[in-house]
Amino acid sequence: MKVKKFMNKPITTPPNVLVKDAAEILTSKKIGSLIVTKNDEMLGIITETDLTRRVISKGLDPNKTLLKDVMTKEVIYLDPEETMEEAMHVMNENVIKKLPIVEDGKLVGIITTTDIIKITEKQLRENLDDLKRLNREKDDFIAIASHELKTPIATIKGFLQLLKNKDFIEDQEERENSLEILDKEINRLNNLITNILDFSRIDLNVMKMSFDKVDLYQTMTEIKKLTVPLIKDSGLKANYIFDKNLPEIMADEERLKQVLVNLISNSVKYTQEGKITVKVKKEDDYVHFTVKDTGIGIPEKEQEKIFERFYRVEGAQTKKISGAGIGLAICKELLTFMGGEIWLKSEVGEGSEFHFNIPINGPKNK
């Protein structure tokens, strides 16, 4: 943490001020020293002790003597780019309680031991609050994730029991319906586990991206085949807008698919009627993706938090909708790794549009 951020405006005086006037400033401001400057350039420092000892020992008249005649020449100061730890070390070494901050020979501020102690205490309190918040989020996530994992497992287990029944097996239509449900629940379980594992990799700083040329038209064709059944099974219309002229991009194809599936699944989850539109187009050096729904929408006050981990929009319409609150956060993390950005436009009762872009040539620092 640099000193520059926390320095205070110093109390200064020019060198041609009378000793008497300087003493009055020290007394009125209840401080022990004054910084002497000329045209913002620091010349020295004068203390209450200097004024008393030097003036008396030299038999000088405080009503006639100027500060420049008794000013301390040796000044200890810091550069504003120094850290708080360095400032405290210098203060302790020199048994002083404040340090002038000088940049390019100019006095720009002052830092005191009181400042550092207050800042340190504040930072410790903030760190403690963050740890408490993270601990609550962890507990909430474990509870939600446990529920989310149990639901598809229970469904899979139930249908597997049915498939053991001889009469049930002979009913081809029922058997096919059951296998479709099993397939969906397994995919749901797989997506959740993938997201949870990705969070662990990101936190441990071991997330690996595999960048290669991606044929966007082919990728979007696969995404369409994968997600159209999900959309239509929910009673919604699917609208995909992309063409064969889409450029190849440098990206991690599997992670790109993961982002799109997460966004489309999220839109389906919060849309009761209408349609889901997925659009892809080239814009300058980027490819712009849009996933638009006609769902319940997101209140404006909630929109800034929607990409935070474990955050879920509160409301009567969302309470019955399952989710661990990690899908959108994962999208943001993965897109950051690919050099992209994600944002949304939403209006309650009208639906939401999730937008993201990816640089055609990949991130600058792969």
Side-chain angles (χ1 to χ4, degrees):
M1 193 181 298
K2 294 178 181 177
V3 167
K4 187 175 186 178
K5 186 177 179 182
F6 299 100
M7 62 193 182
N8 300 312
K9 187 176 180 180
I11 297 174
T12 63
T13 183
N16 58 350
V17 167
L18 290 171
V19 166
K20 176 190 172 187
D21 295 332
E24 287 181 2
I25 294 172
L26 290 169
T27 304
S28 63
K29 298 291 184 181
K30 297 180 181 179
I31 54 176
S33 59
L34 271 173
I35 296 167
V36 184
T37 63
K38 186 176 182 180
N39 298 327
D40 288 333
E41 185 174 351
M42 187 169 69
L43 303 177
I45 194 166
I46 192 80
T47 68
E48 193 174 9
T49 304
D50 290 330
L51 293 179
T52 305
R53 185 172 57 214
R54 294 190 179 205
V55 171
I56 292 175
S57 65
K58 293 184 178 182
L60 301 173
D61 184 350
N63 293 305
K64 296 180 180 180
T65 307
L66 298 178
L67 277 185
K68 64 182 180 180
D69 297 323
V70 293
M71 185 175 68
T72 303
K73 299 298 182 186
E74 193 174 333
V75 183
I76 300 166
Y77 59 86
L78 280 185
D79 185 276
E81 296 301 318
E82 295 287 357
T83 63
M84 302 291 282
E85 290 78 8
E86 176 64 16
M88 184 59 87
H89 174 72
V90 172
M91 288 178 182
N92 289 337
E93 284 285 306
N94 293 279
V95 197
I96 53 178
K97 293 185 177 181
K98 64 175 66 177
L99 276 171
I101 312 298
V102 175
E103 187 171 34
D104 298 328
K106 303 287 185 180
L107 178 71
V108 292
I110 194 165
I111 192 90
T112 70
T113 51
T114 304
D115 293 329
I116 295 175
I117 291 169
K118 286 181 178 178
I119 292 162
T120 304
E121 288 177 348
K122 182 182 178 184
Q123 190 176 21
L124 287 172
R125 284 195 298 271
E126 288 175 352
N127 289 344
L128 181 59
D129 290 341
D130 285 342
L131 286 172
K132 288 179 179 178
R133 177 180 56 79
L134 288 170
N135 194 51
R136 286 195 302 270
E137 287 179 350
K138 180 202 70 176
D139 291 342
D140 291 344
F141 172 69
I142 290 172
I144 294 169
S146 298
H147 172 74
E148 289 294 305
L149 288 168
K150 283 180 180 178
T151 302
I153 289 172
T155 304
I156 292 167
K157 186 176 180 181
F159 276 100
L160 286 175
Q161 291 295 330
L162 281 175
L163 289 171
K164 290 180 181 179
N165 187 305
K166 185 178 179 181
D167 294 334
F168 186 81
I169 292 174
E170 290 176 355
D171 189 328
Q172 185 175 350
E173 185 178 350
E174 286 290 339
R175 186 172 68 250
E176 288 179 356
N177 287 337
S178 298
L179 290 172
E180 283 182 13
I181 293 171
L182 282 172
D183 186 55
K184 289 177 187 175
E185 292 300 312
I186 289 170
N187 286 334
R188 177 182 167 189
L189 191 60
N190 181 63
N191 289 339
L192 180 59
I193 292 171
T194 299
N195 285 339
I196 292 171
L197 289 174
D198 280 344
F199 265 131
S200 297
R201 294 187 185 105
I202 291 167
D203 286 340
L204 294 171
N205 200 27
V206 294
M207 172 65 83
K208 293 182 180 179
M209 307 293 284
S210 179
F211 288 93
D212 204 348
K213 287 184 178 180
V214 177
D215 182 337
L216 263 187
Y217 179 76
Q218 179 64 34
T219 299
M220 290 310 302
T221 301
E222 292 175 13
I223 287 291
K224 183 177 179 179
K225 287 180 181 178
L226 181 66
T227 56
V228 162
L230 170 68
I231 296 171
K232 290 188 173 180
D233 286 351
S234 298
L236 305 171
K237 293 180 180 179
N239 185 25
Y240 288 77
I241 305 171
F242 59 91
D243 58 48
K244 292 183 178 180
N245 295 323
L246 285 173
E248 284 189 337
I249 64 171
M250 186 62 67
D252 186 320
E253 185 176 16
E254 290 307 311
R255 297 305 187 184
L256 174 57
K257 288 179 179 178
Q258 185 179 346
V259 169
L260 284 163
V261 169
N262 273 351
L263 290 177
I264 294 168
S265 300
N266 192 72
S267 288
V268 170
K269 192 185 298 184
Y270 291 94
T271 304
Q272 295 179 344
E273 59 182 7
K275 64 180 179 180
I276 306 295
T277 300
V278 181
K279 185 177 181 180
V280 187
K281 63 178 180 178
K282 179 181 178 296
E283 289 184 353
D284 299 325
D285 296 330
Y286 290 81
V287 175
H288 184 175
F289 298 78
T290 305
V291 177
K292 181 180 179 181
D293 63 57
T294 55
I296 60 177
I298 302 166
E300 187 175 353
K301 65 179 181 179
E302 308 262 15
Q303 291 179 19
E304 288 185 4
K305 303 176 184 178
I306 201 71
F307 296 107
E308 293 179 6
R309 295 185 181 193
F310 317 129
Y311 186 80
R312 298 190 70 223
V313 176
E314 295 294 332
Q317 289 180 291
T318 61
K319 283 183 178 179
K320 295 180 181 179
I321 300 173
S322 63
I326 60 176
L328 293 178
I330 277 289
C331 289
K332 182 178 180 180
E333 298 275 9
L334 294 178
L335 287 169
T336 299
F337 278 111
M338 288 189 279
E341 292 181 303
I342 186 169
W343 66 97
L344 82 152
K345 297 177 183 177
S346 186
E347 188 173 339
V348 175
E350 297 294 327
S352 301
E353 292 181 26
F354 286 88
H355 299 262
F356 70 90
N357 59 23
I358 293 180
I360 292 173
N361 296 319
K364 293 180 181 178
N365 299 313
K366 291 198 284 287

